[in-house]
Amino acid sequence: NAPPGFRPLKSASAPCSPTKPVSMPRTRSESFHVTHKVPIGDTPYVKAKHVQLVDKDPEKAIPLFWEAINAGDRVDSALKDMAIVMKQQNRADEAIEAIKSLRTRCSEQAQESHDNILLDLYKVSVEQEATRLLGNLGWALMQQNNYIEVEDAYRRALSIAPDNNKMCNLGICLIKQG
């Protein structure tokens, strides 16, 4: 509803995003960083990401993420990435403790992300504990020759997570049952 006598110079259109600048050809180094999703630079965080994503050495990456956190280098991202690598290394309990003790060094914007990672880590931790306890129960029942309950305990443990030792024990149990 324009005022009387108002005439727009152009036809009205829906708002659009600004024009993106024409990208310049990338150097070989820049292409490498884009391909591997590794940030450019020589900071502790960049070194940790390089070891994680390019060298694919999670055990070496974890102390480098610690170094980045202690140096104050991209703490939000370093803590998140370190926790994820720890989870992949079956070190969920350690990752939980790291987030709980270091999240005060992180920005307010990172807190929800860290909460989501914690929820995932707690789930992993509970599952690991459940499968460990079921395996222990199966072993104790095996010592009592209670093979029907042994089978149930090992099958429940294996439904949570694969484990070669538990599969072997289940096989022994099935052999004992004929």
Side-chain angles (χ1 to χ4, degrees):
N1 293 338
F6 176 79
R7 293 180 59 200
L9 296 175
K10 292 186 192 178
S11 62
S13 65
C16 61
S17 60
T19 307
K20 293 181 181 175
V22 176
S23 63
M24 299 298 290
R26 289 194 171 110
T27 67
R28 186 176 170 106
S29 173
E30 289 170 335
S31 294
F32 171 85
H33 289 281
V34 169
T35 300
H36 293 284
K37 298 181 182 175
V38 177
I40 297 173
D42 195 29
T43 66
Y45 177 74
V46 171
K47 290 176 185 174
K49 287 302 284 183
H50 187 277
V51 169
Q52 175 197 9
L53 298 174
V54 178
D55 297 349
K56 298 190 186 311
D57 188 347
E59 287 300 321
K60 188 176 174 188
I62 291 170
L64 293 173
F65 282 123
W66 276 112
E67 184 181 326
I69 293 164
N70 289 330
D73 182 24
R74 300 187 195 183
V75 176
D76 295 352
S77 297
L79 181 56
K80 175 184 69 77
D81 292 341
M82 182 178 71
I84 290 169
V85 171
M86 286 177 166
K87 176 188 168 200
Q88 293 166 345
Q89 297 300 125
N90 295 318
R91 294 166 62 179
D93 291 337
E94 198 176 336
I96 290 168
E97 288 307 311
I99 290 176
K100 285 168 56 176
S101 65
L102 297 169
R103 70 184 306 162
T104 57
R105 295 188 188 184
C106 297
S107 69
E108 188 64 34
Q109 295 81 11
Q111 297 305 318
E112 185 176 347
S113 174
H114 290 129
D115 287 342
N116 291 334
I117 293 168
L118 275 174
L119 287 172
D120 192 41
L121 289 167
Y122 280 125
K123 179 183 172 206
V124 168
S125 185
V126 167
E127 287 175 351
Q128 287 173 342
E129 186 64 10
T131 189
R132 185 186 70 76
L133 290 172
L134 286 166
N136 289 348
L137 175 62
W139 181 251
L141 292 167
M142 182 90 79
Q143 304 311 303
Q144 298 175 348
N145 301 321
N146 189 344
Y147 299 116
I148 292 173
E149 289 187 40
V150 169
E151 179 182 354
D152 180 58
Y154 281 125
R155 288 190 187 279
R156 287 175 45 204
L158 290 167
S159 72
I160 296 169
D163 180 291
N164 290 338
N165 189 45
K166 290 176 184 75
M167 282 191 259
C168 180
N169 289 342
L170 176 59
I172 293 168
C173 170
L174 293 172
I175 289 169
K176 296 278 187 177
Q177 290 183 74

